């Protein structure tokens, strides 16, 4: 169990958590949420041992292995499969032990090392690594490519695969969806559903949190508050709690006003002085219930009407899309595409990574030229394009205001009323760039701030056709929801590539599927598309099975043969049987304690929801007493759980206590 006990955590002068307490049971899958900047990544660093608490404590069972995704793109000539395979540090250590035993000529140690390697999954380790890589969207032909031959986003996928490869009791995922397409995201959700350890995930993807997590920790105002369920359940419970808090504050304010009126009326009247003094003391002791505030105001996007809305906007006839090569050749990605884009259409573009979604969007955005056929635009069509790597195209030394002024010059609007500094400052303010923030260099902005700047520049151009290629990667949940609201109020035509299913579901009326070198309408919704992906994955597994291959399409990894493999297995089996006999009663009691803790957590959540609702004073007092009793029982259970865990850990590591 992970226990945060009256935890205080600071970064510099900023207090991230103060006297915060929470518990995460073994095997739980928890979403850690909160607005950008509240300290979620710092809490991860604390769990990973990279930071130390400033007060209170954080407890994690001794010996727990923690895996997390490195936040830098690797730069190595190592092959993709070898890089991911190295994430299993246990196998690496065992291979080193085997090598040492072989150098020493110790036959028993060699046999034991081989048995340990077999138990650790060495026989199919390479196949498992390849399965992770292909599951995250890599082609079979890319499995041995050098890591540094991939783009940054693909290298981050390899970092994710490497973290998943590592044997772990706790897995920390910080924004794992940012570099994934929808196909890889569906695969990751399936993998996490089978993961037996404790998962803590930071993500701004609502559907991912709902699919992967069964509990939520909300980090806000220096505290941690636990909710049962994924993000959608959290939203409902928090809305209920905020409404209850606001109602309670209003009742308190009414009571305060009543007491104040009595004091002012009778404090100097001899017959009522004692009562007035009593009420005055009650006023002084009354602790203010704070106003119910949401996490902050969301960005508001107001569209500027385009100068022209042609219909049709695009006519595509027999077009080929792809890239011209330096030697004069070309690489076609999409062939013989015929389609029409009408005014008011709202199209979601689906398809696996590498199938040509971004190539298609770039060509429509005039960044690439089609290789054949015709792409005809409507008269005076204004196109707004949010590129997948638009944030990298910003001038690191220029401020938000400077970017807007440069845009005005490029569009020939310099000197117009809408391009005056005051007007631009007001416009940027609606995207949360206020005061001195408009002069902040883009190079010092966070990913979310850069994304808001790109969106601001997009809106200011008055587009009739919006092309959005993964616009949400650096946006937090409230800003994503604000973007969805804004897109629903956009009167023009929208073409959207995104792995954010909530955004696709909210703003798109139809879907096009990019696959097999073509583009076709997809007859169905996102649930149908998910079923299609799962069915295709099943068919691939069945085909590989029929061919007698491993799930990764590779033969098991070869390992050195032990001196006597059968004897090594028998020795390992006897050791496991002896250990199981010793630990079985302890683990049985541990399971019973965990079940009771789950019951207590469920009852505590129910009582918190009850307290958030309008109830009588007697009911409130009874709920408070029960919460206190449950907390005391839970503390006693946790102490016993920790003691049992340490005993089991000592036995499993051969350090049995006397």
């Amino acid at each position: 169990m992970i226990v945060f006990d009256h935890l205080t955590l600071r970064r510099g002068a900023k207090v991230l958590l103060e006297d915060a307490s929470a518990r995460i049971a073994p095997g739980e899958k928890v979403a850690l949420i909160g607005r950008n900047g509240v300290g979620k990544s710092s809490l991860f660093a604390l769990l990973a041992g990279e930071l130390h608490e400033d007060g209170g404590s954080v407890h994690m069972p001794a010996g727990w292995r923690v895996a997390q995704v490195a936040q830098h793109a690797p730069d190595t000539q190592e092959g993709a499969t070898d890089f991911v395979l190295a994430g299993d540090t246990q196998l690496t250590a065992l291979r080193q032990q085997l090598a040492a035993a072989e150098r020493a000529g110790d036959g028993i140690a060699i046999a034991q090392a081989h048995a340990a390697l077999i138990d650790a999954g060495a026989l199919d380790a390479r196949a498992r690594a390849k399965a992770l890589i292909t599951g995250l969207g890599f082609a079979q032909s890319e499995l041995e490519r050098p890591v540094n031959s991939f783009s940054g986003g693909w290298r981050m996928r390899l970092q994710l695969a490497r973290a998943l490869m590592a044997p772990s009791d706790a897995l920390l995922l910080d924004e794992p969806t940012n570099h994934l397409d929808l196909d890889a995201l569906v695969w990751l959700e399936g993998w996490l559903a089978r993961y037996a350890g404790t998962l803590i995930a930071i993500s701004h993807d609502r559907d991912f949190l709902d699919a992967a997590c069964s509990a939520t920790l909300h980090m806000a105002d220096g505290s941690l508050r636990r909710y049962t369920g994924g993000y959608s359940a959290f939203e409902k419970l928090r809305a209920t709690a905020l409404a209850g808090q606001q109602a309670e504050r209003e009742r308190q304010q009414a009571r305060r006003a009543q007491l104040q009126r009595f004091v002012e009326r009778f404090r100097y009247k001899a017959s009522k002085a004692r009562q007035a003094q009593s009420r005055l003391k009650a006023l002084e002791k009354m602790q203010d219930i704070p106003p119910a505030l949401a996490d902050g105001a969301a960005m508001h996007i107001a569209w500027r009407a385009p100068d022209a809305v042609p219909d049709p906007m695009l006519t595509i006839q027999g077009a080929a899309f792809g890239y011209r090569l330096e030697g004069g050749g070309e690489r076609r990605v999409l062939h013989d595409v015929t389609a029409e884009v009408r005014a008011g259409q709202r199209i979601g573009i689906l398809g696996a990574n590498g199938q040509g979604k971004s190539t298609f969007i770039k060509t429509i955005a005039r960044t690439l030229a089609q290789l054949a056929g015709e792409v005809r635009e409507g008269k005076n069509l204004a196109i707004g394009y949010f590129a997948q790597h638009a944030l990298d195209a910003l001038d690191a030394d220029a401020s938000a205001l400077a970017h807007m002024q440069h845009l005005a010059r490029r569009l020939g609007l310099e000197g117009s009323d809408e391009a005056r500094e005051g007007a631009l400052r007001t416009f940027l303010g609606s995207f949360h760039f206020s005061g001195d923030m408009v002069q902040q260099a883009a190079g010092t902005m966070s990913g979310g701030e850069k994304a808001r700047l790109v969106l601001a520049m997009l809106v200011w151009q008055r587009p009739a056709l919006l092309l959005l290629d993964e616009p949400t990667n650096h946006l937090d949940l409230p800003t994503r929801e604000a973007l969805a609201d804004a897109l629903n109020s956009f009167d023009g035509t929208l073409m959207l590539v995104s792995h954010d299913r909530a955004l696709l579901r909210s703003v798109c009326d139809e879907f096009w599927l990019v696959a097999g070198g073509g583009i076709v309408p997809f007859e169905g919704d996102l649930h149908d598309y998910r079923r299609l992906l799962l069915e295709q994955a099943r068919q691939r597994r069945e085909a590989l099975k029929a061919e007698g291959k491993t799930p990764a399409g590779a033969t098991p990894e070869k390992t050195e043969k032990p001196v006597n493999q059968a004897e090594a297995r028998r020795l390992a089996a006897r050791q496991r049987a002896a250990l199981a006999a010793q630990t079985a009663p302890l683990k049985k009691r541990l399971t019973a304690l965990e079940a009771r803790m789950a019951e207590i957590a469920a009852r505590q959540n129910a009582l918190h929801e009850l307290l958030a609702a309008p109830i009588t004073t007697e009911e409130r007092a009874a709920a408070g007493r029960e919460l206190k009793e449950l907390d005391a029982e839970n503390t006693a259970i946790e102490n016993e759980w920790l003691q049992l865990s340490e005993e089991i850990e000592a036995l499993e590591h051969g350090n049995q206590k006397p």
Side-chain angles (χ1 to χ4, degrees):
M1 173 178 288
I2 298 173
V3 180
F4 302 106
D5 188 19
H6 300 287
L7 177 66
T8 296
L9 181 63
R10 298 186 179 91
R11 290 303 297 267
K14 185 176 182 180
V15 178
L16 304 177
L17 290 171
E18 187 168 18
D19 198 31
S21 297
R23 301 171 183 86
I24 300 173
E28 270 199 307
K29 294 179 170 64
V30 179
L32 178 61
I33 65 172
R35 290 192 69 88
N36 286 346
V38 298
K40 302 186 296 297
S41 295
S42 296
L43 188 61
F44 265 24
L46 177 67
L47 288 171
E50 298 165 5
L51 290 178
H52 296 285
E53 60 270 23
D54 296 286
S57 64
V58 56
H59 172 83
M60 189 177 291
W64 261 28
R65 299 161 299 179
V66 179
Q68 63 177 334
V69 183
Q71 294 301 302
H72 64 277
D75 185 11
T76 174
Q77 285 281 350
E78 192 174 17
T81 301
D82 288 333
F83 175 78
V84 171
L85 188 59
D88 192 335
T89 53
Q90 181 183 10
L91 278 179
T92 301
L94 288 172
R95 288 194 178 101
Q96 291 172 350
Q97 289 178 18
L98 175 61
E102 289 176 335
R103 286 194 299 271
D106 188 337
I108 294 177
I110 291 172
Q112 290 176 333
H114 274 292
L117 279 167
I118 292 169
D119 287 342
L123 292 177
D124 68 345
R126 195 168 192 85
R128 287 186 285 114
K130 290 183 176 181
L132 290 171
I133 298 170
T134 54
L136 289 172
F138 290 81
Q140 289 281 341
S141 60
E142 297 175 321
L143 293 176
E144 306 305 330
R145 269 180 56 184
V147 171
N148 58 10
S149 70
F150 294 100
S151 66
W154 286 96
R155 293 190 211 179
M156 292 308 298
R157 290 197 192 201
L158 290 174
Q159 288 283 35
L160 174 58
R162 185 180 172 108
L164 301 183
M165 186 70 193
S168 62
D169 303 288
L171 177 61
L172 309 179
L173 295 182
D174 191 348
E175 296 293 356
T177 68
N178 275 358
H179 302 286
L180 303 183
D181 58 11
L182 190 50
D183 298 51
L185 186 51
V186 169
W187 176 89
L188 177 61
E189 289 171 357
W191 190 94
L192 292 174
R194 299 185 298 273
Y195 176 64
T198 300
L199 168 70
I200 308 177
I202 299 172
S203 177
H204 295 312
D205 188 315
R206 171 197 296 270
D207 283 48
F208 173 75
L209 293 178
D210 282 341
C213 300
S214 57
T216 300
L217 272 184
H218 183 217
M219 192 171 179
D221 302 320
S223 67
L224 287 171
R225 175 74 188 276
R226 181 189 169 94
Y227 296 82
T228 300
Y231 185 80
S232 295
F234 154 77
E235 271 194 324
K236 294 176 183 176
L237 291 171
R238 179 157 168 77
T240 301
L242 288 175
Q245 179 180 333
Q246 188 61 29
E248 188 68 19
R249 174 179 167 80
E250 290 170 359
R251 284 194 291 271
Q252 184 192 63
Q253 295 300 313
R255 176 62 175 159
R256 184 188 293 277
Q258 183 184 30
L259 292 173
Q260 189 66 45
R261 285 194 300 271
F262 187 94
V263 169
E264 291 173 354
R265 183 176 179 186
F266 295 115
R267 70 187 303 175
Y268 300 115
K269 189 172 183 179
S271 61
K272 298 285 186 179
R274 181 172 296 175
Q275 294 94 321
Q277 192 66 26
S278 174
R279 284 163 173 76
L280 184 60
K281 289 181 180 179
L283 270 173
E284 292 170 351
K285 292 180 180 179
M286 191 177 290
Q287 292 187 351
D288 257 346
I289 297 175
L293 300 175
D295 285 342
M299 175 180 68
H300 174 69
I301 300 176
W303 296 100
R304 296 147 60 86
D307 294 325
V309 184
D311 189 23
M313 291 193 175
L314 293 172
T315 302
I316 305 170
Q317 189 68 42
F321 300 86
Y323 301 87
R324 300 191 186 281
L325 304 177
E326 289 184 4
E330 58 185 38
R331 183 168 70 86
R332 296 193 178 191
V333 180
L334 298 171
H335 312 267
D336 196 25
V337 176
T338 297
E340 188 174 65
V341 179
R342 305 299 301 268
Q345 276 188 287
R346 316 180 70 75
I347 304 166
I349 310 295
L350 306 177
N353 231 56
Q355 292 296 309
K357 300 189 302 294
S358 293
T359 302
F360 174 66
I361 292 293
K362 286 177 182 177
T363 307
I364 301 303
R366 308 166 184 146
T367 301
L368 295 174
Q370 76 268 18
L371 302 180
E374 182 180 28
V375 178
R376 188 168 64 250
E377 296 179 1
K379 186 177 180 181
N380 297 324
L381 176 64
I383 296 177
Y385 173 42
F386 188 110
Q388 189 170 1
H389 303 292
L391 277 59
D392 298 330
L394 293 172
D395 183 347
D397 297 324
S399 66
L401 181 60
H403 276 92
M404 294 299 298
Q405 290 169 333
H406 174 75
L407 178 61
R409 286 194 296 272
R410 182 163 60 84
L411 297 177
L413 296 173
E414 189 176 19
S416 65
D417 289 343
E418 60 184 338
R420 287 184 296 105
E421 181 175 328
L424 292 176
R425 283 178 173 271
T426 300
F427 176 76
L428 286 169
S430 66
F431 289 83
H432 288 186
F433 292 101
S434 56
D436 293 339
M437 283 188 67
V438 300
Q439 299 290 1
Q440 179 183 348
T444 65
M445 293 179 184
S446 68
E449 289 167 340
K450 290 178 181 177
R452 294 204 309 271
L453 175 56
V454 173
L455 284 171
M457 296 169 67
L458 192 65
V459 170
W460 199 79
Q461 296 177 66
R462 303 178 183 271
L465 172 60
L466 264 181
L467 306 174
L468 304 180
D469 192 354
E470 297 292 359
T472 63
N473 277 351
H474 298 279
L475 301 181
D476 60 17
L477 273 162
T479 308
R480 289 184 183 209
E481 290 162 3
L483 176 62
D485 289 341
L487 292 177
N488 280 323
S489 67
F490 177 62
D491 291 331
T493 295
L494 169 70
M495 301 181 78
L496 171 64
V497 175
S498 179
H499 65 260
D500 189 325
R501 285 158 291 180
L503 183 65
L504 285 166
R505 192 182 302 112
S506 173
V507 306
C508 295
D509 300 326
E510 59 183 293
F511 296 100
W512 290 2
L513 178 61
V514 181
I519 300 178
V520 295
F522 181 73
E523 302 296 338
D525 58 17
L526 291 177
H527 291 295
D528 297 318
Y529 184 60
R530 183 176 187 276
R531 284 194 290 269
L532 172 67
L533 296 177
L534 294 175
E535 175 60 21
Q536 289 174 342
R538 186 193 66 78
Q539 291 174 359
R540 286 195 297 270
R541 289 195 302 271
E542 291 297 323
L544 290 171
K545 184 178 179 182
E547 295 172 12
K549 296 180 180 178
T550 67
T555 55
E557 181 184 20
K558 294 181 179 179
T559 57
E560 296 84 355
K561 294 292 182 183
V563 172
N564 188 331
Q565 195 170 17
E567 179 59 31
R569 287 198 182 102
R570 284 194 291 272
L571 174 63
R574 287 196 296 270
Q575 291 173 338
R576 288 195 296 270
L579 179 62
Q582 289 178 297
T583 60
L586 300 178
K587 289 183 176 180
K588 183 177 180 181
R589 176 58 181 162
L590 204 66
T591 300
L593 292 176
E594 290 169 357
R596 178 54 187 157
M597 284 190 287
E599 292 173 359
I600 290 174
R603 180 56 183 160
Q604 287 174 325
N605 281 329
L607 289 170
H608 281 302
E609 293 175 32
L610 178 65
L611 289 170
I615 56 177
T616 66
T617 303
E618 291 77 11
E619 290 172 326
R620 191 172 298 279
R625 286 193 297 272
E626 186 177 355
L627 275 173
K628 187 175 181 180
E629 292 168 1
L630 289 171
D631 190 57
E633 181 185 357
N634 207 53
T635 299
I637 290 174
E638 284 175 2
N639 290 335
E640 185 180 355
W641 187 95
L642 292 172
Q643 182 179 352
L644 286 170
S645 297
E646 290 172 358
E647 291 179 22
I648 293 170
E649 184 72 25
L651 288 171
E652 291 180 340
H653 283 77
N655 298 318
Q656 186 174 356
K657 297 177 182 178

